[in-house]
């Protein structure tokens, strides 16, 4: 498979995003400056601002890029005629995102700082959970139009599927507990979850 070659601007953007994700995870949003991001990325502060207008924009972009890296995007949910395969792939990639160390770290940071910096939680929610729920709800609406399944309240259905995919693994990770004993059954759990979800909404 050919790996796309990034031009200089795209390469710098990628470096900035990687640096931002590392710093946001290690130090939290309030303690991370654009100067530090520029230094770690090996670019000028002006370059950081030329790609991302402010720290809020950079934070949102870093969250969105995390989803894209794991394949959670609109392309994944593009074919309403095959929800069985599409939702299985969605659940797999979404499950990888939410159980990644970075996602858990950023989520914990948002919760711990929600009293003093509620705007960070809102940025995180809008860029991550809300965005993904929107993509999934739109897809479920299109699947309903095909007639095989009926999702009367697509948003609520999207929430149900996502929370089921969280499972015991994410609950433990949020509490800082070990999940090694659950990993061998994780893929089967996610697949069973999708099958159960679709069965509940299949038109009889």
């Amino acid at each position: 498979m050919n790996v796309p070659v990034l031009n200089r601007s795209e390469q710098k953007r990628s470096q900035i995003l990687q640096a931002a994700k590392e710093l946001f995870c290690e130090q939290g949003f309030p303690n991370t400056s654009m100067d530090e991001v520029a230094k770690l990325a090996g670019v000028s502060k002006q370059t950081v601002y030329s790609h991302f207008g402010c720290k809020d924009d950079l934070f949102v972009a870093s969250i969105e890029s995390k989803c894209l890296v794991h394949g959670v995007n609109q392309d994944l949910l593009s074919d309403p005629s095959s929800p069985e395969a599409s939702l299985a792939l969605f659940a797999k990639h979404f499950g990888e995102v939410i159980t990644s160390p970075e996602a858990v770290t950023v989520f914990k940071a948002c919760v711990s700082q929600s009293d003093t910096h509620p705007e960070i939680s809102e940025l995180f929610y809008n860029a991550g959970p809300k965005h993904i729920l929107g993509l999934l709800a739109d897809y479920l609406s299109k699947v309903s139009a095909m007639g095989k399944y009926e999702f009367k309240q697509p948003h609520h259905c999207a929430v149900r599927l996502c929370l089921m995919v969280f499972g015991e693994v994410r609950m433990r990770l949020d509490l800082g507990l070990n999940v090694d004993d659950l990993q061998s059954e994780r893929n089967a759990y996610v697949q069973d979850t999708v099958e159960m979800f679709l069965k509940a909404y299949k038109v009889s």
Side-chain angles (χ1 to χ4, degrees):
M1 185 176 69
N2 293 328
V3 178
V5 178
L6 301 179
N7 62 39
R8 190 174 181 182
S9 177
E10 291 170 336
Q11 187 174 9
K12 286 185 177 181
R13 179 183 174 86
S14 178
Q15 291 171 208
I16 294 167
L17 282 173
Q18 183 58 41
K21 282 186 283 188
E22 288 183 25
L23 290 171
F24 286 141
C25 286
E26 291 174 5
Q27 303 178 173
F29 180 89
N31 298 322
T32 298
S33 69
M34 297 292 260
D35 282 323
E36 290 175 305
V37 172
K39 183 177 180 180
L40 183 59
V43 301
S44 68
K45 185 177 179 180
Q46 183 179 359
T47 299
V48 176
Y49 277 108
S50 70
H51 283 278
F52 307 96
C54 63
K55 191 166 74 167
D56 286 2
D57 292 343
L58 180 55
F59 182 70
V60 168
S62 67
I63 299 299
E64 291 175 344
S65 73
K66 181 66 180 176
C67 295
L68 292 174
V69 165
H70 283 275
V72 182
N73 55 53
Q74 199 165 7
D75 293 340
L76 187 65
L77 300 170
S78 61
D79 184 6
S81 67
S82 59
E84 297 85 1
S86 294
L87 290 178
L89 274 175
F90 167 82
K92 176 182 181 297
H93 293 308
F94 176 67
E96 291 172 353
V97 170
I98 61 175
T99 57
S100 68
E102 299 95 334
V104 174
T105 298
V106 172
F107 174 77
K108 288 181 178 180
C110 288
V111 172
S112 67
Q113 298 164 359
S114 60
D115 289 339
T116 55
H117 296 86
E119 70 281 0
I120 303 172
S121 294
E122 186 171 4
L123 286 171
F124 174 79
Y125 180 76
N126 289 339
K130 185 178 180 180
H131 176 68
I132 291 174
L133 288 173
L135 291 178
L136 183 55
D138 287 345
Y139 177 73
L140 295 179
S141 294
K142 294 174 183 175
V143 172
S144 285
M146 305 295 290
K148 186 176 180 180
Y149 299 95
E150 184 176 20
F151 302 99
K152 291 183 179 180
Q153 295 179 302
H155 176 75
H156 291 173
C157 296
V159 171
R160 290 187 187 105
L161 178 58
C162 288
L163 289 180
M164 285 194 294
V165 172
F166 265 57
E168 186 180 358
V169 169
R170 179 56 194 260
M171 285 192 289
R172 283 203 206 174
L173 288 172
D174 284 343
L175 294 170
L177 301 177
N178 187 282
V179 296
D180 289 348
D181 60 316
L182 301 177
Q183 296 295 7
S184 63
E185 299 179 349
R186 176 64 176 169
N187 290 337
Y189 168 81
V190 171
Q191 182 61 43
D192 288 347
T193 294
V194 173
E195 292 175 4
M196 181 175 65
F197 175 79
L198 286 171
K199 185 177 181 180
Y201 293 101
K202 190 171 184 179
V203 175
S204 57

